[in-house]
Amino acid sequence: MSRARVARRIAAGAAYGGGGIGLLGAATVGVVLAEVQLAKRSVGNGGYGAPPRANGRYGAAFAERSECGEALRFAMLGDSTAAGQGVRRAQQTPAALLASGLAAVAERPVDVRVVAQPGAQSDDLERQVSLVLSDETGWLPDVCVVMIGANDVTHRMPATQSVRFLSAAVRRLRTAGAEVVVGTCPDLGTIEPVYQPLRWLARRVSRQLAAAQTIGVVEQGGRTVSVGDLLGPEFAANPREMFGPDSYHPSAEGYATAAMAVLPTLCASLGLWPEEERPDVSRREGFLPVARAAAKAASEGGTEVTGAMPTGPRGPWALLKRRRRRRIQEPDPSPIP
């Protein structure tokens, strides 16, 4: 069965209350997940404690300009990757890197709130969204980034449930007026202690979930960026540089590489990124049925999928884009709390 068809089935099950769908067969998946869990235990946590707190204001210097508008409000939700597990300084976390890049593009300060939780699965998103939307000061986000999925795979959460929780979170945030960008499930086949043939199987399970997540997110009005194998050949070529000491979470350089891929989509969601009138055919961009776009994106890290035409000959369509990455300057070391 093609990845697009599997993703469609999972997304449909999530929308209509179906149960878990066997992606590769329960026995096979069980072996893959057991291997991943053993890999995680074998490398430990690299001596990490809680991730550094990245909450605060970035690009504060822009507030001094008379033409500068109010600060943009940015929330980060998800799991340990969203929280920045594996680095020791706040400015090395994805939230800080994205906020710094967003402030530079918008020429406005950016207020950041991180509610991501290490170890979180998609069922924790309900709690995280409630934290973001129930702030006593009335703070509501203009844009949110969600990075989730790896723990759903390793803890054997049925894919339909995983997509259902994520879709519900995106729907609540969109209803509240926020733009939403989701970094889909990373490729667990990149974990070094996982060996062939289980590496191939872990990759397949991860990509199937990522494709199904994309369908669910796009249907709720969000955008996705495929995290995939943690954004391509850089990680395969330089695993020692891109992964931290635990060989599981990204290093500071790894997070910077990921942020470079997410930033253009984050800015585009707020109308801050120049958009081409037509997809760039030379970059293999174009309009596709959403399931096909999701399957293609899952196979190529850093690829964006966003909703396009509401319907077509084979259901809703989406725009597949491969945006050029932008190097992000490391933010000031002391964001304003």
Side-chain angles (χ1 to χ4, degrees):
M1 185 182 295
S2 71
R3 185 177 295 128
R5 288 182 62 192
V6 171
R8 255 197 315 269
R9 286 182 59 198
I10 296 170
Y16 297 110
I21 296 175
L23 301 184
L24 296 173
T28 302
V29 172
V31 172
V32 172
L33 302 185
E35 184 80 359
V36 172
Q37 291 286 23
L38 286 171
K40 289 173 69 176
R41 284 197 291 270
S42 71
V43 298
N45 66 1
Y48 305 135
R53 290 178 59 81
N55 292 345
R57 174 166 289 188
Y58 295 80
F62 290 112
E64 301 173 2
R65 301 183 181 182
S66 59
E67 69 274 14
C68 175
E70 294 183 1
L72 290 168
R73 298 177 298 277
F74 167 41
M76 193 82 176
L77 304 87
D79 56 22
S80 57
T81 304
Q85 187 84 48
V87 296
R88 303 187 185 277
R89 294 186 295 164
Q91 62 266 33
Q92 296 172 325
T93 63
L97 292 164
L98 289 170
S100 177
L102 180 59
V105 173
E107 297 187 340
R108 292 168 60 181
V110 176
D111 288 337
V112 173
R113 196 152 295 179
V114 180
V115 296
Q117 179 64 41
Q121 300 175 52
S122 291
D123 56 0
D124 190 54
L125 290 176
E126 181 178 5
R127 180 190 66 84
Q128 294 184 25
V129 171
S130 294
L131 286 174
V132 169
L133 299 183
S134 61
D135 187 273
E136 295 178 355
T137 65
W139 189 95
L140 290 173
D142 296 303
V143 66
C144 301
V145 170
V146 183
M147 301 177 74
I148 200 81
N151 295 317
D152 295 4
V153 174
T154 59
H155 289 78
R156 306 183 68 172
M157 176 181 288
T160 49
Q161 290 185 22
S162 176
V163 174
R164 189 179 305 133
F165 287 127
L166 176 59
S167 298
V170 174
R171 182 167 57 251
R172 287 181 65 194
L173 293 169
R174 293 288 293 138
T175 299
E179 299 294 335
V180 181
V181 176
V182 173
T184 54
C185 181
D187 180 357
L188 297 179
T190 60
I191 301 172
E192 286 196 315
V194 177
Y195 303 106
Q196 295 290 11
L198 297 180
R199 182 184 294 271
W200 176 85
L201 295 172
R203 170 168 290 124
R204 185 173 175 186
V205 172
S206 304
R207 289 182 176 181
Q208 286 175 342
L209 177 57
Q213 287 177 319
T214 295
I215 296 173
V217 169
V218 169
E219 287 178 345
Q220 299 302 326
R223 302 180 185 222
T224 64
V225 178
S226 55
V227 176
D229 55 356
L230 289 175
L231 307 177
E234 296 96 334
F235 279 80
N238 303 294
R240 301 300 180 191
E241 294 180 14
M242 296 297 174
F243 282 103
D246 66 358
S247 299
Y248 187 78
H249 292 95
S251 64
E253 182 64 26
Y255 279 126
T257 301
M260 278 194 298
V262 174
L263 179 62
T265 300
L266 177 64
C267 293
S269 72
L270 293 169
L272 300 172
W273 202 262
E275 297 283 1
E276 302 288 340
E277 290 186 7
R278 298 180 179 178
D280 189 340
V281 178
S282 68
R283 294 172 60 81
R284 293 173 290 119
E285 298 179 343
F287 295 98
L288 293 168
V290 65
R292 283 187 56 199
K296 284 182 174 292
S299 301
E300 183 177 341
T303 305
E304 175 190 323
V305 179
T306 186
M309 296 171 282
T311 188
R314 284 171 284 180
W317 283 55
L319 175 59
L320 185 80
K321 292 190 71 70
R322 295 175 172 87
R323 296 184 184 275
R324 291 178 173 83
R325 303 179 189 181
R326 172 167 177 159
R327 170 64 65 177
I328 301 175
Q329 297 289 332
E330 188 169 287
D332 296 334
S334 301
I336 298 174

